[in-house]
Amino acid sequence: MAFRQALQLAACGLAGGSAAVLFSAVAVGKPRAGGDAEPRAAEPPAWNGSARPPGVWDPNWDRREPLSLINLRKRNVESGEEELASRLDHYKAKATRHIFLIRHSQYHVDGSLEKDRTLTALGREQAELTGLRLASLGLKFNKIVHSSMTRAIETTDIISKHLPGVCRVSTDLLREGAPIEPDPPMSHWKPEAVYYEDGARIEAAFRNYIHRADARQEEDSYEIFICHANVIRYIVCRALQFPPEGWLRLSLNNGSITHLVIRPNGRVALRSLGDTGFMPPDKITRS
């Protein structure tokens, strides 16, 4: 009956894609000895979400799930579940981490040396606007961690003026690079950097900075990381457990704000990606 209905709909001019979906839902089987078809379970289309295998999300993505931090071999059998619960509580995160990933402002891309790739006049304006935006949020920022590249340092210098008293730390881990070969491949993307060199460093930056709060942290934290587009795009994909090879499909404006939230249970949410809504349209660039 369903097969006849599918034929009728196809004859009435049903769009090819829709007809294909309908035909895929019809049970099809191989004839048995008696000539009857043996029914086979219909495969659901990928778009309904059923194609994702169960358990694909890793709750221990940051290796800080309490149970993974306990050596169960040393567990005292006599004390039982009560001791286990107490030990688990000792390792449980209590606070939420708010991670603000800031892309550096526009810079002179034609500088022959890295130290010559300083911010443009527009780039300095962008950094001022980003600093004002962060200050307007009224949050008690805990620290600023920034890349040791010139354009990131200069962006940090300007933003820091709007956040007095917030300590800043420089690191080579957040320097720009090519994190992983993109898939699908991009014909225009031919980095000079070697993936296996930059990729290990950028992955190390992710593991070092992006994780749930330490169990000793009592209050929610608000942390700023000022770095580069490739680093931020890769971090976002990894944090959300999306295929990291898709990092190059994301686009970030100069001076933009990306906001990640990491809950105590390890769940990660993306509040904003590459936000520059606080900038006038004529100040927005992506170079």
Side-chain angles (χ1 to χ4, degrees):
M1 182 65 178
F3 184 73
R4 286 200 299 271
Q5 291 175 343
L7 286 176
Q8 291 170 356
L9 288 171
C12 293
L14 186 65
S18 300
V21 169
L22 183 56
F23 276 114
S24 70
V26 177
V28 178
K30 59 182 180 181
R32 290 184 288 191
D36 297 328
E38 182 179 347
R40 185 178 66 187
E43 295 182 4
W47 45 257
N48 76 353
S50 300
R52 179 178 291 277
V56 70
W57 304 110
D58 181 9
N60 194 30
W61 61 274
D62 60 350
R63 301 299 181 266
R64 293 185 179 226
E65 189 69 20
L67 193 60
S68 70
L69 300 174
I70 294 176
N71 186 348
L72 294 178
R73 292 182 180 180
K74 294 183 178 181
R75 179 182 167 191
N76 187 336
V77 179
E78 295 182 359
S79 58
E81 298 300 324
E82 188 174 328
E83 182 195 3
L84 178 60
S86 176
R87 293 174 65 188
L88 284 174
D89 188 63
H90 176 74
Y91 288 103
K92 282 182 180 178
K94 307 173 186 65
T96 295
R97 293 184 68 205
H98 292 262
I99 307 293
F100 293 84
L101 299 159
I102 313 299
R103 188 192 174 194
H104 60 77
S105 301
Q106 186 191 67
Y107 68 105
H108 294 285
V109 297
D110 54 352
S112 57
L113 300 175
E114 193 279 317
K115 65 181 182 65
D116 299 323
R117 295 168 191 165
T118 56
L119 297 186
T120 64
L122 175 56
R124 300 187 72 80
E125 289 185 63
Q126 291 170 339
E128 293 282 359
L129 291 167
T130 303
L132 287 169
R133 172 59 176 169
L134 291 170
S136 72
L137 298 177
L139 301 173
K140 183 180 178 181
F141 290 104
N142 300 80
K143 62 180 178 180
I144 299 175
V145 182
H146 64 86
S147 158
S148 57
M149 298 185 82
T150 301
R151 53 189 182 272
I153 294 173
E154 292 188 343
T155 301
T156 303
D157 289 340
I158 296 172
I159 289 177
S160 292
K161 294 188 305 180
H162 300 279
L163 302 171
V166 180
C167 67
R168 47 186 287 186
V169 180
S170 177
T171 177
D172 291 338
L173 289 179
L174 292 174
R175 291 173 73 89
E176 184 63 304
I180 190 173
E181 189 169 359
D183 186 18
M186 299 286 185
S187 59
H188 67 279
W189 176 251
K190 297 179 180 179
E192 297 177 1
V194 181
Y195 291 113
Y196 65 78
E197 291 180 353
D198 288 348
R201 172 179 54 77
I202 296 171
E203 172 66 17
F206 170 78
R207 296 188 187 191
N208 190 56
Y209 295 119
I210 311 301
H211 51 76
R212 73 193 77 183
D214 187 274
R216 293 169 295 181
Q217 182 177 324
E218 298 290 340
E219 299 181 354
D220 293 353
S221 59
Y222 302 87
E223 305 157 53
I224 298 172
F225 294 82
I226 301 176
C227 51
H228 310 269
N230 295 352
V231 177
I232 295 172
R233 294 185 282 190
Y234 179 78
I235 284 176
V236 168
C237 288
R238 286 283 282 111
L240 296 177
Q241 298 188 47
F242 292 166
E245 294 85 358
W247 63 274
L248 197 53
R249 305 175 76 180
L250 306 179
S251 182
L252 298 174
N253 294 330
N254 294 115
S256 61
I257 301 174
T258 295
H259 182 184
L260 282 172
V261 179
I262 308 177
R263 300 294 182 190
N265 61 3
R267 297 287 179 88
V268 180
L270 181 63
R271 289 272 182 93
S272 65
L273 176 68
D275 177 30
T276 48
F278 52 88
M279 292 187 185
D282 62 338
K283 304 295 183 184
I284 297 176
T285 62
R286 286 196 301 273
S287 61

